[in-house]
Amino acid sequence: VRGTTTTTTANANANANARGRCAVCLDDYVNATTTRCGHVFCARCVRAAIEHSGTCPTCRKKVTRAQCHRVFL
């Protein structure tokens, strides 16, 4: 069936994101925290990135610590 491989790959990627790894430290999330733009990082990693550049490490939109929120799964 056409499109099955694409759908399977998309589902696999969604599952990997649900398990989650931080894009900064490349490890499992520790105290998962989301930015206002919706990207998720370890709390410590996103704090360090914001202090360094004032932007989201993924999309570079301006973000402050007050605009970040813990994620409880």
Side-chain angles (χ1 to χ4, degrees):
V1 177
R2 292 189 112 163
T4 304
T5 303
T6 304
T7 303
T8 304
T9 302
N11 289 339
N13 288 340
N15 289 337
N17 289 337
R19 285 190 306 270
R21 289 196 177 259
C22 175
V24 175
C25 69
L26 304 177
D27 207 348
D28 293 337
Y29 296 126
V30 176
N31 298 324
T33 302
T34 186
T35 59
R36 71 184 180 121
C37 47
H39 296 108
V40 182
F41 308 95
C42 296
R44 181 185 231 172
C45 294
V46 75
R47 271 195 313 268
I50 290 169
E51 288 175 13
H52 177 73
S53 66
T55 62
C56 170
T58 298
C59 68
R60 303 292 183 218
K61 288 184 180 176
K62 288 189 179 205
V63 66
T64 65
R65 285 179 65 177
Q67 295 170 323
C68 296
H69 303 283
R70 279 284 312 275
V71 176
F72 298 93
L73 302 175

